[in-house]
Amino acid sequence: MPRISAERMQDREDSLLAAAREVFACKGYEAAAVSDVARVAGVSDGLVYRYFGSKRDLLLAVLDSFYSRIIDDLERAVSLSASFEQRVATLVHKHVERFVDDMALCRLFIVEVRNFDEYVGSETHELNRRYTSILMRILADGRAEGRVAGDIDDRLVRDMMFGGIEHVAWRHILAGHPIDVERVAGQITRLLLGGISTSRAS
Amino acid sequence: MPRISAERMQDREDSLLAAAREVFACKGYEAAAVSDVARVAGVSDGLVYRYFGSKRDLLLAVLDSFYSRIIDDLERAVSLSASFEQRVATLVHKHVERFVDDMALCRLFIVEVRNFDEYVGSETHELNRRYTSILMRILADGRAEGRVAGDIDDRLVRDMMFGGIEHVAWRHILAGHPIDVERVAGQITRLLLGGISTSRAS
Amino acid sequence: MPRISAERMQDREDSLLAAAREVFACKGYEAAAVSDVARVAGVSDGLVYRYFGSKRDLLLAVLDSFYSRIIDDLERAVSLSASFEQRVATLVHKHVERFVDDMALCRLFIVEVRNFDEYVGSETHELNRRYTSILMRILADGRAEGRVAGDIDDRLVRDMMFGGIEHVAWRHILAGHPIDVERVAGQITRLLLGGISTSRAS
Amino acid sequence: MPRISAERMQDREDSLLAAAREVFACKGYEAAAVSDVARVAGVSDGLVYRYFGSKRDLLLAVLDSFYSRIIDDLERAVSLSASFEQRVATLVHKHVERFVDDMALCRLFIVEVRNFDEYVGSETHELNRRYTSILMRILADGRAEGRVAGDIDDRLVRDMMFGGIEHVAWRHILAGHPIDVERVAGQITRLLLGGISTSRAS
DNA sequence: AATGAATGAGTTTTCATTCAT
DNA sequence: AATGAATGAAAACTCATTCAT
């Protein structure tokens, strides 16, 4: 017979998640201690392990909840755009904005999770796919509309876009000067859509 | 354990560097222990500190030696290319190849060094700048030749290219299927030069 | 190893303190390892750091608890003495006795703490002041009663007394022959009060 | 067949001793590394062990050479004083001055050597005895001249004097204000000779 | 005689995780 | 269900000392 209701358990899990997000974002995964998370959440160390199997699980849960949130947000924004070019522009804009707003969590994902063996096949991986699949659908639709050059591999575009934006955002963040999201996103969009060359490229 | 003569100190340093490269590449920086490196190099723990001041120094030395090697290689390759487009193609090709050949080291740089405070201003940062400056020169020359669209920010191109290739390479590596360097580099080059759109973009 | 209830935390702290006192007294601060203390206390190494932030903190806690104990004792003894001379005699007697009873801790204070930069301004320093202030009050009162020569600097007396007794005690302890506290304290008192000379000194 | 002459060996030993004096004085015994000494002396680590059996031996040698120097100096100064009181005054003055001039070495002796088991019976102990015996002779002579109160134990006087001066000097040094040697020595001398009391003490 | 590379034991401290209460 | 005291296994780094050269 449970002493606390399911509702209460959910609240606890949420507050632990929030605490973990804060602590991991602030100190990074390695430097964060489970007891930091417990303290911030206002519970005992031991209780953390009733809700999450390990420190690693906690990290993944933080990132998964982050992804759930941003996927919905991105989908909603993209759905409001009319043309292919607008949808790309919106996605680029939102993604750049994501780096600006949630730098620490993006970094957490890039540095602590994405590169590890366990990543492939994980829930986090699946969520990342769902996030990027929003672009894949835009590209498929754009191709159907004849807006995408025929010899382009969509996965390549996806990687170039997300990889590129990651670097651009990082450069600004490391350099310490704030990103003018509007301008940067506009430039990236133009580059992606139109390329570097003055003439049609080979 | 043989005591080595003065003239073999360089060998020792090299073998420590090689051991560190292997261990860091395999386990990542945090997970690797200095004693792992020592064991692989066949020396005592303490000796590592005779050659490298700290675990961190060892990491940076590994990356610096890596950079020194690949900068020359890239410069030579690029210098052999005639046109702007060829030079870009060569650089993309070489960079993709680099990820294929030295995935672990690229990852080490990206994950363990690039995102840390101490990075800016370090020797490694300088080497990274030299590496990327090869592209910057290509772009500047291309612009002088009128091959680059006027409204393009070179640093943006740099980030999109290196960031994009990083993700492309990663996808293949994570998925476990080998990269057809020729084909992938070609596609990336085309995308960068010509963009996604069928017509001139926005 | 039994897990203790909350109400027994104090006991744990006390037993750690006792273990540290023993180990430090026996081996000195530098030569003592935290794991020695843990072993003597019958706990794990890590637990020491739950109660004391560092090895240094442990040392200071040992000395502070020592001082707390002896200050009360000295104050009580002195307060029972009627005249200036008696109070000085009592203090000397008690102080010599202290060296005899707690040689190792006195030595710990003198050797490991008193001469270090961090000492000034520390809790231990404050306790030491309280201890020595007992003598300062005796001297001030004695001066008010006209029992102290006018040109004497009280701080000088304090240093001569404590420094002198320290050496006297040390000599006996090093030589290995027990101190006749009564006799030695009497001699010291006489010397301090009356000086060496047969006639009034220069 | 020795490759270097006995003379050269002596020079080496002297320069090692000087280097050790400097390093120990500056950093303390524990914090000083043998290789620091070697570097300062301009020789290899290994060579230190040809001249001194261990780091400890090096410390003792430093202190022994220090004692040899100051013993002569003190003896000479005292021999120039005419009366008992003058001789005491000179000795006090010289001893206070010693603390001022050679604070670090005094501290080294007090903290690192005097309190250790091996001290009793060591060369250093013997030198310390010779140093303090200068006072013992003064007292014996003073007693013969009737200048010393009959019931005084000379060893007690010795301890009170050296212990007291040690504390006085230390207080000034810790507090950071320079000692007015003349004044302080004068006060100490007066206190030792005449005592605290306004009247002849019990 | 001299070097200095090499050793390897030893130290403090941290923390994820467990489990008696 | 909740606690938080306790564990114990690392792990980075230092250095006195040795000994092949």
Side-chain angles (χ1 to χ4, degrees):
Chain A
M1 183 205 287
R3 300 263 269 291
I4 67 167
S5 67
E7 203 177 345
R8 180 128 175 68
M9 277 192 65
Q10 188 58 49
D11 286 358
R12 269 247 224 267
E13 188 170 322
D14 290 348
S15 76
L16 273 169
L17 226 37
R21 178 163 50 236
E22 184 185 326
V23 173
F24 287 148
C26 193
K27 311 177 78 167
Y29 179 72
E30 289 287 351
V34 172
S35 62
D36 291 339
V37 175
R39 187 165 11 81
V40 169
V43 301
S44 67
D45 291 19
L47 196 59
V48 176
Y49 287 86
R50 280 204 165 265
Y51 290 83
F52 302 93
S54 69
K55 188 187 177 188
R56 190 97 201 143
D57 283 354
L58 197 49
L59 171 65
L60 296 179
V62 164
L63 290 173
D64 290 354
S65 96
F66 172 58
Y67 261 122
S68 303
R69 172 161 61 84
I70 67 177
I71 286 171
D72 290 348
D73 186 59
L74 183 61
E75 265 170 348
R76 210 172 303 118
V78 166
S79 70
L80 298 176
S81 302
S83 68
F84 167 69
E85 285 79 9
Q86 273 182 338
R87 283 195 291 273
V88 170
T90 301
L91 188 139
V92 168
H93 187 280
K94 274 285 169 183
H95 194 64
V96 171
E97 206 175 47
R98 186 58 58 207
F99 267 91
V100 173
D101 292 350
D102 294 296
M103 204 258 275
L105 287 172
C106 292
R107 174 173 162 155
L108 217 49
F109 172 67
I110 294 164
V111 172
E112 308 287 1
V113 176
R114 195 178 61 190
N115 311 134
F116 291 88
D117 302 338
E118 49 186 5
Y119 172 57
V120 178
S122 70
E123 171 76 1
T124 315
H125 188 195
E126 174 54 28
L127 285 163
N128 177 262
R129 292 175 85 95
R130 279 184 51 200
Y131 184 84
T132 59
S133 73
I134 296 171
L135 172 61
M136 299 308 269
R137 222 170 316 130
I138 293 174
L139 292 171
D141 293 350
R143 170 157 292 126
E145 297 169 21
R147 315 293 303 158
V148 173
D151 57 347
I152 299 273
D153 180 338
D154 289 355
R155 288 166 309 174
L156 189 83
V157 176
R158 178 194 59 195
D159 293 334
M160 293 299 292
M161 180 179 300
F162 289 120
I165 292 175
E166 185 178 309
H167 270 224
V168 172
W170 222 288
R171 168 161 55 89
H172 280 89
I173 287 160
L174 280 185
H177 37 72
I179 300 182
D180 176 345
V181 177
E182 215 67 48
R183 200 178 58 79
V184 167
Q187 289 186 336
I188 292 171
T189 305
R190 224 173 318 138
L191 184 63
L192 281 168
L193 291 177
I196 298 167
S197 297
T198 42
S199 60
R200 241 47 277 272
S202 70
Chain B
M1 207 54 47
R3 260 73 171 204
I4 63 174
S5 72
E7 71 204 10
R8 285 187 49 204
M9 273 193 65
Q10 188 59 48
D11 289 354
R12 248 310 136 84
E13 187 169 323
D14 290 347
S15 75
L16 273 168
L17 223 38
R21 182 160 49 231
E22 182 186 325
V23 173
F24 286 148
C26 190
K27 310 179 77 167
Y29 178 72
E30 290 287 354
V34 173
S35 60
D36 292 337
V37 176
R39 188 163 10 82
V40 169
V43 301
S44 68
D45 291 21
L47 193 61
V48 176
Y49 288 88
R50 200 160 248 292
Y51 289 84
F52 303 93
S54 68
K55 187 187 174 188
R56 191 95 203 145
D57 282 356
L58 195 50
L59 171 65
L60 296 179
V62 165
L63 290 173
D64 289 356
S65 95
F66 171 58
Y67 260 120
S68 302
R69 173 161 58 84
I70 68 178
I71 285 172
D72 290 349
D73 184 58
L74 181 61
E75 264 169 349
R76 210 171 306 118
V78 165
S79 71
L80 298 176
S81 303
S83 69
F84 167 67
E85 285 79 8
Q86 272 181 339
R87 282 195 292 272
V88 170
T90 301
L91 188 138
V92 169
H93 186 281
K94 275 284 172 186
H95 194 65
V96 171
E97 207 174 47
R98 186 56 61 210
F99 263 88
V100 173
D101 292 351
D102 296 298
M103 199 261 280
L105 287 172
C106 294
R107 172 173 155 163
L108 211 52
F109 172 67
I110 294 162
V111 172
E112 309 288 3
V113 177
R114 193 181 62 190
N115 306 141
F116 291 87
D117 301 339
E118 47 188 10
Y119 171 57
V120 178
S122 68
E123 170 76 3
T124 316
H125 188 197
E126 175 55 27
L127 286 165
N128 176 259
R129 291 174 85 95
R130 278 183 50 201
Y131 185 84
T132 60
S133 73
I134 296 171
L135 172 60
M136 299 308 267
R137 224 171 316 132
I138 293 173
L139 291 172
D141 293 350
R143 169 157 289 127
E145 298 168 21
R147 314 293 303 155
V148 174
D151 58 347
I152 299 274
D153 181 338
D154 288 356
R155 288 167 310 173
L156 189 83
V157 175
R158 178 195 58 196
D159 292 334
M160 293 299 292
M161 180 181 302
F162 289 126
I165 292 174
E166 183 178 315
H167 273 221
V168 172
W170 224 289
R171 170 161 53 87
H172 282 87
I173 287 157
L174 281 184
H177 37 72
I179 300 182
D180 176 346
V181 177
E182 215 66 49
R183 199 180 57 80
V184 167
Q187 289 187 333
I188 292 171
T189 305
R190 223 170 319 137
L191 183 62
L192 280 168
L193 292 176
I196 297 167
S197 296
T198 41
S199 61
R200 242 44 276 269
S202 78
Chain C
M1 210 52 51
R3 260 73 173 205
I4 64 170
S5 71
E7 71 202 10
R8 285 186 49 202
M9 275 194 62
Q10 187 59 48
D11 289 355
R12 246 312 134 83
E13 187 169 323
D14 289 348
S15 76
L16 273 168
L17 224 38
R21 180 161 50 233
E22 184 187 324
V23 172
F24 286 147
C26 192
K27 309 178 79 166
Y29 178 71
E30 290 286 354
V34 172
S35 60
D36 292 337
V37 176
R39 189 166 6 84
V40 169
V43 301
S44 67
D45 290 20
L47 194 62
V48 176
Y49 289 85
R50 199 161 249 292
Y51 289 85
F52 303 93
S54 68
K55 187 185 176 188
R56 192 95 202 146
D57 281 356
L58 196 50
L59 172 65
L60 296 179
V62 164
L63 290 172
D64 289 356
S65 95
F66 171 59
Y67 260 122
S68 301
R69 173 161 59 83
I70 67 178
I71 286 171
D72 288 349
D73 185 59
L74 182 61
E75 264 170 349
R76 209 170 307 118
V78 166
S79 72
L80 297 175
S81 303
S83 69
F84 167 69
E85 285 79 7
Q86 271 181 339
R87 282 195 292 273
V88 170
T90 300
L91 189 138
V92 168
H93 186 279
K94 275 283 170 185
H95 194 66
V96 171
E97 206 174 46
R98 184 58 59 208
F99 264 88
V100 173
D101 291 351
D102 295 296
M103 198 262 275
L105 287 172
C106 294
R107 171 173 156 164
L108 209 52
F109 172 68
I110 294 161
V111 172
E112 309 286 3
V113 176
R114 192 179 64 191
N115 305 140
F116 291 87
D117 301 339
E118 47 189 10
Y119 171 58
V120 177
S122 68
E123 170 77 1
T124 317
H125 187 197
E126 175 56 28
L127 286 164
N128 175 260
R129 290 176 84 96
R130 278 184 50 200
Y131 185 85
T132 59
S133 75
I134 296 171
L135 172 60
M136 298 310 267
R137 220 170 320 130
I138 293 173
L139 292 172
D141 292 350
R143 171 157 288 128
E145 296 169 22
R147 314 294 302 156
V148 174
D151 58 349
I152 298 273
D153 180 338
D154 289 355
R155 288 167 310 174
L156 190 83
V157 176
R158 178 195 59 196
D159 292 334
M160 294 299 291
M161 180 181 300
F162 290 125
I165 291 173
E166 183 178 313
H167 273 220
V168 172
W170 224 291
R171 169 162 54 88
H172 281 88
I173 288 159
L174 281 183
H177 36 72
I179 300 181
D180 177 344
V181 177
E182 216 67 50
R183 199 179 58 80
V184 167
Q187 289 189 333
I188 292 171
T189 305
R190 222 172 320 139
L191 183 61
L192 280 168
L193 291 175
I196 297 168
S197 297
T198 40
S199 60
R200 244 39 281 263
S202 75
Chain D
M1 184 205 286
R3 300 264 268 292
I4 67 171
S5 68
E7 202 176 343
R8 178 125 176 71
M9 277 194 64
Q10 188 58 49
D11 286 357
R12 270 252 221 264
E13 186 168 323
D14 288 348
S15 75
L16 273 168
L17 225 38
R21 177 163 53 236
E22 183 186 325
V23 173
F24 287 148
C26 193
K27 310 176 79 165
Y29 178 72
E30 289 286 352
V34 172
S35 62
D36 291 339
V37 175
R39 185 164 13 82
V40 169
V43 301
S44 67
D45 292 18
L47 196 60
V48 175
Y49 288 85
R50 277 203 169 268
Y51 289 83
F52 302 93
S54 68
K55 186 185 176 189
R56 191 96 202 144
D57 282 355
L58 197 48
L59 171 66
L60 296 179
V62 164
L63 290 172
D64 289 355
S65 97
F66 171 58
Y67 260 122
S68 301
R69 172 163 60 85
I70 67 178
I71 286 171
D72 289 349
D73 184 60
L74 182 60
E75 264 170 348
R76 210 171 306 115
V78 165
S79 71
L80 299 175
S81 303
S83 69
F84 167 69
E85 285 79 8
Q86 272 182 338
R87 282 194 293 271
V88 170
T90 300
L91 187 138
V92 168
H93 187 279
K94 276 283 170 186
H95 193 64
V96 171
E97 207 174 45
R98 186 56 59 208
F99 268 91
V100 173
D101 292 349
D102 295 296
M103 203 257 276
L105 288 171
C106 292
R107 175 173 161 155
L108 218 48
F109 172 67
I110 293 165
V111 172
E112 308 287 2
V113 176
R114 193 179 63 190
N115 311 136
F116 290 87
D117 303 339
E118 50 188 3
Y119 172 57
V120 178
S122 69
E123 172 76 1
T124 317
H125 189 196
E126 174 54 29
L127 284 162
N128 176 263
R129 293 175 83 95
R130 278 184 50 202
Y131 184 84
T132 60
S133 74
I134 296 171
L135 172 61
M136 298 308 268
R137 220 168 321 129
I138 293 174
L139 290 171
D141 293 351
R143 170 156 291 125
E145 297 170 21
R147 315 292 304 155
V148 173
D151 57 349
I152 298 276
D153 179 339
D154 288 356
R155 287 165 311 172
L156 190 82
V157 175
R158 177 194 60 195
D159 293 333
M160 294 299 292
M161 179 180 299
F162 289 122
I165 292 174
E166 185 178 311
H167 271 223
V168 171
W170 223 287
R171 167 160 58 86
H172 281 87
I173 287 160
L174 280 185
H177 37 71
I179 300 182
D180 177 344
V181 176
E182 216 65 51
R183 199 179 57 81
V184 168
Q187 287 186 336
I188 292 171
T189 305
R190 222 172 320 137
L191 184 62
L192 281 168
L193 291 176
I196 298 166
S197 298
T198 41
S199 60
R200 241 45 274 270
S202 73

